[in-house]
Amino acid sequence: FVVFLQEQTAECLKRTGTTVLLTSATNMLAFFSAVIIPIPALRSFSLQVGILTLAAIYFIQARVSLLIDQNV
């Protein structure tokens, strides 16, 4: 079962990994660049969403690493 799961994860990342990474990176760039907006509520929202997007990328990579390390 674990080998099957690893193969599915590898196939999924081959097909969608680059797209997800580029989309997340452009979203992060957009939210971090919106920090210069003079309205405090929008500035705070932009900063928080940019940080959450960065955290999401990190956690996706951590989850994939954990799935791969289970077989080693």
Side-chain angles (χ1 to χ4, degrees), residues 1 4-7 9 14-15 19 23-24 28 32 35 37 40-42 44 48 51 55-56 61 63-65 70 72:
F1 176 74
F4 180 68
L5 181 64
Q6 186 178 10
E7 290 172 0
T9 304
K14 281 181 196 174
R15 292 183 181 192
T19 306
T23 302
S24 297
M28 220 174 15
F32 283 138
V35 172
I37 293 175
L42 287 178
S44 176
Q48 290 174 6
I51 291 170
Q61 290 176 348
R63 178 171 162 73
V64 170
S65 298
Q70 286 179 352
V72 175

Side-chain angles (χ1 to χ4, degrees), residues 27-28 30-37 39-55:
N27 285 340
M28 220 174 15
F31 283 117
F32 283 138
S33 65
V35 172
I36 61 172
I37 293 175
I39 302 169
L42 287 178
R43 189 177 337 143
S44 176
F45 172 77
S46 298
L47 184 61
Q48 290 174 6
V49 175
I51 291 170
L52 286 175
T53 306
L54 182 64

Side-chain angles (χ1 to χ4, degrees), residues 11-30:
E11 184 62 30
C12 180
L13 288 175
K14 281 181 196 174
R15 292 183 181 192
T16 62
T18 305
T19 306
V20 170
L21 182 65
L22 288 175
T23 302
S24 297
T26 56
N27 285 340
M28 220 174 15
L29 180 65

